Amino acid sequence: MKKIRKYLLLLLILLSVAFLNGCFNFREIVNKRISTQIDNKPLTREQLNEDLNILLTNLRDIMPKEYYTWPEHAVDSISKTILKNTTISKSEFLFDINSLLVSFNIAHLEVSFPKKKYNSHLLYDGSEWSLKLRLSNNFLIVDEANVKPTNLKGARLMEINDMPVDSLMSLFLKQCSGLPALRERSVIDHFGLYLLLNEIPPPYKIDFVDSMQKQQTTTLTYKNGNESASASKEKSSDKGFEFNWFNDSIAYVNLYSYEYQDIAVYSRELDSVFKQLENRCKYLIIDLRYNSGGNSVYGDTLLNHLTDKKYRVPEKKWWMSESYKKNIRQMFPWYMRSIALKMMGVKDYLNSPSNSYYKFDENEWYTTPKSQIHQFRNKIYFVIGSGTFSSAIYTGIVVQDNKIAKLIGQPSGDVANAIGENCYLKLPNSGIVVSIPSACFVRPNHDLDMNAPLIPDMLIESDTLNKYDRVNICKWLINKL
């Protein structure tokens, strides 16, 4: 009997360790499940037809019906083209699926592209691309180059593997969704991925004009297993903002990221900034022009310092569907399901009626700021522009619709009423994962224009804004006060 108890106790300990290990590796489990995993086996027409039907059924079932238009002609045309094939490779099918999703022109409806981490046979996944790019007067400029030759920094790219860069940009911009500014940002930030999507793998022969206006050629090669630029970024302890005084009464914060930085570090550093502003600063400028979004909790933490009044947040119209419920059951093991639903903020999702919108408590759309020792009570201005996306737009919406601050600059890079809260569908034959939005976030002022960006209260001419650094932004504001 003692031996039996001993073995039962040991079994209980092992099960507890396995359970805790699963919970602690929750993010990794989810990341693997929502990543495309493909091989080199071709797909038959029957397999193509099955995957395509599953995809189209889920798109119709999951997406919030009142907030998008189904592109009937494009979907039918692309579907027929796919099914003309007797067989097709999975990478070719992925390209076709991407084209089908792009026809909806919804920013968060997209393919999850395969990563080397979960596809051992892949030599490259696009993350190896080591040039940080920007567009200037329609030229593609190298902002940073983490490879030799060092004279690539500041260079104007002309050709890649003998293909004109402007032609590549035109092609790539047609292969992603959203407003023009969002598509531009997507291509520039994931240039290596779009090269691979179009079957242009490394090495890359780069023809460029350097900062001295000399034409040069170099070749970028990558060894399999090199750490990607994105992986390095994820390890960064960057706090996500920069703080400067312009003069004795005007302070400037460049809030350039809602990603990767430690929230505890961010909160502590932010609190130290507002301590400095106390009893001194009359005007605070917060620049979101370079913020592409991430976790909105960073914006919420900032707002705690800007207001002590309850404010209204965008209302989530979340469409309930059997397809999403099935996906949750397949995506998460039973012992993680309640954790996942709690993290998603909808613990009763599986028990809610389908084909209707989730019934949130009305209090969900109001936030009461956490009390802060260092509260800012003077004039606040947020700067936005075509580089402001996602959760950064969310912050801008909250401050504008609740009159917490004035927005200045140019319209945001994406729409104000965003469609998100994605469901990840894995197609059974191809292994391709598709990210399908299931909810619309309607701004507090109830403007239902689904194609409108966030418009600032005070416009700064586009070319002027693009040239403005923090000093010029502050000078501009002084002239308007």
Side-chain angles (χ1 to χ4, degrees):
M1 181 61 71
K2 287 184 178 180
K3 282 188 175 182
I4 293 174
R5 287 179 180 174
K6 182 179 178 181
Y7 287 130
L8 285 173
L9 180 60
L10 180 60
L11 179 61
L12 183 61
I13 292 171
L14 290 173
L15 287 173
S16 300
V17 169
F19 174 78
L20 290 171
N21 185 58
C23 291
F24 288 131
N25 289 299
F26 181 82
R27 183 181 292 275
E28 179 60 24
I29 289 172
V30 172
N31 285 342
K32 186 172 183 179
R33 287 171 181 263
I34 64 176
S35 296
T36 290
Q37 297 172 52
I38 60 176
D39 53 39
N40 297 319
K41 294 178 182 177
L43 294 165
T44 65
R45 182 177 292 161
E46 290 73 22
Q47 290 174 319
L48 292 171
N49 190 49
E50 183 182 7
D51 275 13
L52 194 56
N53 283 333
I54 289 172
L55 173 61
L56 295 178
T57 298
N58 276 268
L59 289 175
R60 287 191 184 277
D61 195 29
I62 291 171
M63 290 200 292
K65 304 186 185 309
E66 287 88 352
Y67 300 104
Y68 77 97
T69 302
W70 185 276
E72 201 78 45
H73 176 74
V75 170
D76 288 348
S77 176
I78 295 170
S79 299
K80 287 175 182 176
T81 300
I82 292 173
L83 295 176
K84 284 180 180 178
N85 297 283
T86 306
T87 61
I88 189 175
S89 72
K90 291 175 181 176
S91 58
E92 290 173 313
F93 186 48
L94 184 145
F95 183 94
D96 290 335
I97 291 298
N98 183 68
S99 298
L100 188 150
L101 299 180
V102 167
S103 70
F104 286 80
N105 200 30
I106 297 173
H108 290 89
L109 175 61
E110 57 193 1
V111 167
S112 173
F113 291 99
K115 296 180 175 62
K116 286 189 299 185
K117 185 175 183 179
Y118 307 118
N119 293 267
S120 57
H121 67 286
L122 288 182
L123 296 177
Y124 308 99
D125 63 9
S127 64
E128 303 82 8
W129 179 260
S130 51
L131 305 181
K132 183 179 178 181
L133 307 172
R134 63 179 168 87
L135 270 180
S136 177
N137 297 322
N138 294 320
F139 291 119
L140 202 58
I141 307 298
V142 179
D143 255 358
E144 293 179 17
N146 297 320
V147 292
K148 293 181 180 180
T150 55
N151 61 348
L152 267 170
K153 185 174 181 179
R156 185 171 82 241
L157 301 188
M158 304 302 293
E159 291 187 346
I160 298 175
N161 289 3
D162 298 319
M163 289 172 278
V165 165
D166 55 353
S167 298
L168 289 174
M169 280 296 297
S170 297
L171 174 63
F172 297 169
L173 288 169
K174 296 175 184 176
Q175 296 173 343
C176 49
S177 302
L179 296 181
L182 179 60
R183 295 202 304 272
E184 182 181 297
R185 171 63 72 93
S186 178
V187 170
I188 288 173
D189 286 353
H190 305 97
F191 200 80
L193 188 150
Y194 283 96
L195 287 168
L196 286 181
L197 179 65
N198 290 276
E199 299 184 337
I200 309 171
Y204 297 120
K205 178 172 151 296
I206 308 287
D207 293 300
F208 64 98
V209 176
D210 68 17
S211 56
M212 304 299 291
Q213 301 305 306
K214 293 181 179 179
Q215 293 191 6
Q216 299 199 45
T217 299
T218 190
T219 300
L220 301 183
T221 58
Y222 306 101
K223 294 180 181 179
N224 187 27
N226 278 2
E227 185 183 61
S228 69
S230 60
S232 300
K233 190 177 181 184
E234 287 172 5
K235 294 176 183 177
S236 171
S237 59
D238 188 357
K239 62 188 178 186
F241 68 87
E242 296 172 345
F243 167 69
N244 298 94
W245 284 101
F246 173 70
N247 58 28
D248 288 341
S249 62
I250 298 178
Y252 171 91
V253 175
N254 179 10
L255 185 56
Y256 54 80
S257 178
Y258 282 170
E259 293 186 290
Y260 303 129
Q261 66 273 24
D262 186 293
I263 184 61
V265 173
Y266 172 83
S267 299
R268 188 167 59 250
E269 295 283 349
L270 201 61
D271 191 62
S272 70
V273 167
F274 281 94
K275 184 178 181 179
Q276 296 179 59
L277 300 182
E278 259 185 335
N279 304 319
R280 179 180 172 187
C281 182
K282 292 182 180 178
Y283 303 100
L284 173 61
I285 300 172
I286 300 171
D287 200 336
L288 295 177
R289 283 180 295 166
Y290 315 105
N291 194 318
S292 59
N295 191 339
S296 60
V297 70
Y298 295 102
D300 297 341
T301 304
L302 171 67
L303 290 171
N304 289 336
H305 289 277
L306 303 183
T307 182
D308 55 5
K309 297 177 181 178
K310 185 165 69 171
Y311 57 84
R312 191 174 175 87
V313 298
E315 185 175 342
K316 182 160 71 172
K317 302 286 189 180
W318 200 353
W319 184 250
M320 303 286 99
S321 66
E322 284 301 316
S323 295
Y324 203 155
K325 291 176 183 179
K326 180 180 178 182
N327 176 274
I328 289 173
R329 293 186 181 100
Q330 291 177 342
M331 185 70 68
F332 304 108
W334 62 267
Y335 57 87
M336 284 188 175
R337 211 165 286 153
S338 60
I339 301 173
L341 289 170
K342 186 175 181 180
M343 288 177 66
M344 292 157 68
V346 283
K347 61 181 181 180
D348 299 321
Y349 190 105
L350 294 177
N351 299 320
S352 299
S354 296
N355 299 317
S356 63
Y357 287 99
Y358 187 85
K359 294 189 182 300
F360 288 97
D361 188 309
E362 286 189 8
N363 291 326
E364 293 272 354
W365 314 128
Y366 290 90
T367 294
T368 301
K370 294 180 181 177
S371 179
Q372 301 293 319
I373 297 173
H374 310 296
Q375 192 89 39
F376 189 76
R377 301 186 185 280
N378 292 323
K379 292 281 187 180
I380 309 161
Y381 296 87
F382 277 76
V383 191
I384 64 169
S386 61
T388 307
F389 297 100
S390 192
S391 297
I393 295 177
Y394 184 100
T395 300
I397 287 170
V398 169
V399 301
Q400 186 180 62
D401 288 2
N402 290 278
K403 296 180 169 49
I404 295 170
K406 289 279 188 183
L407 299 186
I408 64 176
Q410 277 285 306
S412 61
D414 196 16
V415 294
N417 290 321
I419 295 180
E421 205 64 73
N422 285 16
C423 166
Y424 293 89
L425 169 70
K426 177 166 282 191
L427 301 177
N429 297 302
S430 61
I432 294 170
V433 172
V434 175
S435 176
I436 305 174
S438 64
C440 179
F441 294 85
V442 179
R443 60 184 303 175
N445 70 1
H446 292 105
D447 180 353
L448 293 178
D449 188 341
M450 298 304 297
N451 299 307
L454 178 61
I455 307 293
D457 303 296
M458 303 166 66
L459 283 168
I460 301 176
E461 200 274 329
S462 180
D463 288 341
T464 303
L465 182 66
N466 291 337
K467 295 173 185 174
Y468 273 8
D469 59 10
R470 62 181 176 83
V471 173
N472 288 319
I473 285 287
C474 294
K475 286 181 177 178
W476 181 92
L477 185 62
I478 288 173
N479 290 332
K480 296 294 180 181
L481 294 175

